[in-house]
Amino acid sequence: MADSLTLDEFLARVAAFSAEARPAIAAADSADALEGVRAKYLGRNHGWLKDLSAALGQLPKEARGAAGKAFNDARTDVEGALETRQASLAPSSAGVALADPTMPARHAWRGAVHPVSQVIDEVVAIFRELGFTVALGPEAESPWYNFGSLNFPADHPAMDLHDTLYISDDVVLRTHTSPVQVRTLQSYPPPIRVLIPGNVHRRDPFDPSHAPTFAQIEGLVVDEGISFADLKATLTHFANRFFGSTKTRFRPSYFPFTEPSAEMDVLCGVCKGSGCGVCKQSGWVEILGSGLVHPAVLESAGVDSERYSGWAFGMGPARTALARHGIPDIRLLYDSDVRFLDQFAR
Ligand code: DAH
């Protein structure tokens, strides 16, 4: 194949390449048309460029230097013309942006902390200032830790298959974070001040006020001489810090693991007490359950209930987020719809 082409013939082809490509580029009147011209004259796998490269190989060796230079010059020249044309076709979009600097910027999503996680973070931060540390426990739990150690009677309805998800006879998905009270007391001697955030599971269908899996935050204080005054003062301080100074009230309640037991309400943040949909017209929103740790719970964990006493509480940060923002349906917190969640981004 070599030597079957002369230098003059090759240069004539290069000249033809330039002579044909340049007017084609000038005539291309759209980006698409220009792309077609690029493929035809500069495409790597077919078209003019490929043919010329192949022809280079058919030249006598001594002609190849001059031929190669002419070829490269022509190619650079055509590439330059193509780029110039491209720039002159493109200004439509750049031109508009420059002509109208008042056009709104495109919206970009920003990552943000979920409203339920915001509540958990804030609660933990407030109690941390009071000397509490954080403790965690397993979500797959033994029925003894979840119920028995917490003074649930053997026939308590919470243990029913209707309410609790059993993985086996010996393992349940914990229905509350309270079992971590006993685990913590078994691992550390008093004095204890811990906060226990975590997910819990119940056999509840999703509805506007229930989710089958939800977060809880448990608190536990055990020391010598702890009384209901400590509980009330600490939780009232917490409510004022978290909600901004507010009114609280404690209502008597019942839990197997506390005696006495109380639920704490705060003034409804949406209507400030006058009554609205969020507080079901009562003016108050229930925030947490609490009480003095039942001596039987201390004894389950091997703590001397004659010497030590304690108080505990449990709250649902999702419910708290609903009350705080006046959100009507708990399922909105689980849908991961950024249009909803973006309202709470900070
Ligand atoms: N474990 C309770 C529940 O899930 C909440 C609770 C109430 C926790 C009172 C406590 C407490 O520590 O003292 O409904």
Side-chain angles (χ1 to χ4, degrees), residues 13-27 37 40-41 48 78:
R13 281 202 210 177
V14 170
F17 163 69
S18 296
E20 201 181 304
R22 286 183 140 280
I25 289 166
V37 174
K40 181 168 176 193
Y41 294 98
W48 272 85
V78 169

Side-chain angles (χ1 to χ4, degrees), residues 175-178 181 202 216 218-219 255 257-258 289-291 312-314:
T175 58
H176 52 178
T177 43
S178 302
Q181 288 190 25
R202 292 192 190 164
Q216 279 194 338
E218 189 89 10
F255 303 102
F257 36 91
T258 46
S290 64
F313 76 91

Side-chain angles (χ1 to χ4, degrees), residues 146-148 150-164 166 175-176 254-257:
N146 196 78
F147 300 118
L150 293 168
N151 197 38
F152 280 69
D155 57 355
H156 194 284
M159 289 153 72
D160 205 278
L161 286 174
H162 279 295
D163 297 311
T164 298
Y166 284 78
T175 58
H176 52 178
Y254 172 78
F255 303 102
F257 36 91

